[in-house]
Amino acid sequence: MSHTGARPLTRRAVLGAGGAFALGALISACGGDDGPGGTASPGGGAWTFTDDRGTKVGLKKRPQRIVGYSATAAALYDFGIDEQIVGVFGPTKLKDGKPDPQAGNLPVGRLEIIGNAFGEFNIEKYAALRPDLLVDNMFIPGDLFYVPAESKDKIYALAPSVAIAAGSVPLPKPIERTAALAAALGADLKAAKVTAAKARFEKAAEAVRAAAKAKPGLKVLAASGSPDLFYASSPAKNTDLIYYKELGVDLIVPDKLGKDDYFESLSWENADKYKADLIMLDSRTQALQPKDLESKPSWKDLPAVKAGQVIPWNAEPRFSYEGCAPLLEALATALDSAKKTS
């Protein structure tokens, strides 16, 4: 995700995640045989989907004009939803015009971009798209990501919305829920591309499990860098970190978490508080990268940095098997090659 330099670094700006959310029994089959979450008549009849707020959306027919948060839309695209996606908001294009990694495989050239950074959401462009449905990830209960709080009522009045819970649940859960939404929107989850991606994801997960088991005691820290602060992430909140911990990765748990319990803010003088053998560094566009941190002596002095054991971390995964399999593969490779630094 992106943010302007003038805006203070908040939880959204840094790690893109919010408070706990108990998914509970929010998946519901709305009176048909099309599987959990939603139904739609193949002949073009009524369409329903119950999202992770417990909100049941009901339309006269399957949505044909969808606008979504970039990562949500990109995940749906991976599952086979294409022409129905007409617009996006959130990180979509980089300064050089290339697609932002958050946009995944989206055909961004044909999409209307109604906002490319945090706080940007052009309501006039959104209305002109005549949206049938707004789709988004939800890190804080009831809070759709990148939908500006000050204009959300106007936005919600233009089309119904569907939210996928993306905080405080293991990685497979939001992938499964995004798949359910894609199926309700008409995607074929039995398509070769989708089943191959799922098999790749499952194989990669086992590779992480095996690599972690082979390196007992190897300490891993997920972190993000800003000009003034070094953020240590909690594996109890971020959906990918929860899953990595379940797979056996020895992730460091910060002991003085801030609001929403997603990370601990450390001054650069205290960046060495946690002794990590491997650092997963936030790779999104708003976070400082290793080349940006070279001027900070405290960064260069970290054992993992000295050992060359720093890997990119997409702190906001794209919730599809295709989007997440490479992340698991990269982690498994890094664990295989990492050595203890003390």
Side-chain angles (χ1 to χ4, degrees), residues 234-308:
S234 170
K237 303 294 284 189
N238 291 273
T239 180
D240 57 338
L241 302 184
I242 292 171
Y243 189 50
Y244 298 163
K245 200 166 182 67
E246 288 182 356
L247 293 174
V249 179
D250 191 353
L251 282 153
I252 291 170
V253 181
D255 56 24
K256 289 188 179 178
L257 298 171
K259 185 184 177 185
D260 298 326
D261 295 336
Y262 268 82
F263 57 85
E264 178 177 353
S265 304
L266 297 168
S267 66
W268 277 107
E269 290 77 13
N270 294 315
D272 62 350
K273 178 177 178 179
Y274 299 107
K275 310 303 180 187
D277 302 303
L278 174 67
I279 294 176
M280 300 166 55
L281 187 70
D282 188 351
S283 63
R284 292 171 304 165
T285 51
Q286 95 287 354
L288 297 184
Q289 301 309 302
K291 61 180 174 56
D292 306 315
L293 297 173
E294 288 175 357
S295 61
K296 297 188 179 297
S298 53
W299 166 256
K300 292 193 293 185
D301 288 343
L302 294 176
V305 177
K306 284 184 174 181

Side-chain angles (χ1 to χ4, degrees), residues 18-253:
F21 182 74
L23 192 66
L26 296 182
I27 300 173
S28 67
C30 306
D33 298 322
D34 297 327
T39 63
S41 167
W47 185 88
T48 63
F49 188 85
T50 301
D51 78 354
D52 291 344
R53 296 169 296 186
T55 299
K56 182 177 179 179
V57 175
L59 298 171
K60 291 182 179 180
K61 62 179 182 178
R62 177 179 286 157
Q64 295 303 308
R65 300 185 63 80
I66 299 167
V67 175
Y69 176 61
S70 54
T72 314
L76 289 173
Y77 185 85
D78 289 343
F79 281 114
I81 302 302
D82 185 355
E83 296 299 328
Q84 289 154 273
I85 302 170
V86 296
V88 289
F89 58 96
T92 306
K93 283 187 176 180
L94 301 174
K95 290 180 181 179
D96 62 7
K98 294 179 181 178
D100 189 287
Q102 291 296 115
N105 302 313
L106 280 174
V108 297
R110 74 161 178 80
L111 301 176
E112 183 73 51
I113 300 172
I114 60 175
N116 198 56
F118 188 82
E120 294 180 2
F121 194 111
N122 189 311
I123 298 177
E124 289 73 24
K125 283 186 177 181
Y126 180 56
L129 285 172
R130 297 175 287 109
D132 297 324
L133 188 70
L134 180 74
V135 297
D136 203 345
N137 292 337
M138 178 177 65
F139 294 96
I140 300 174
D143 184 0
L144 270 63
F145 206 39
Y146 271 64
V147 172
E150 63 275 10
S151 53
K152 65 179 182 180
D153 291 342
K154 291 181 181 178
I155 293 167
Y156 295 157
L158 292 169
S161 59
V162 163
I164 301 294
S168 301
V169 290
L171 185 58
K173 183 60 70 175
I175 295 176
E176 291 164 5
R177 290 295 284 141
T178 303
L181 174 58
L185 291 169
D188 178 10
L189 298 187
K190 295 180 181 178
K193 177 176 180 285
V194 178
T195 57
K198 185 176 183 181
R200 179 182 173 187
F201 175 88
E202 291 170 346
K203 181 179 179 181
E206 288 310 308
V208 171
R209 191 190 301 276
K213 187 175 182 181
K215 295 287 178 72
L218 187 82
K219 296 289 184 180
V220 182
L221 176 67
S224 185
S226 77
D228 300 318
L229 294 169
F230 184 61
Y231 300 90
S233 258
S234 170
K237 303 294 284 189
N238 291 273
T239 180
D240 57 338
L241 302 184
I242 292 171
Y243 189 50
Y244 298 163
K245 200 166 182 67
E246 288 182 356
L247 293 174
V249 179
D250 191 353
L251 282 153
I252 291 170
V253 181

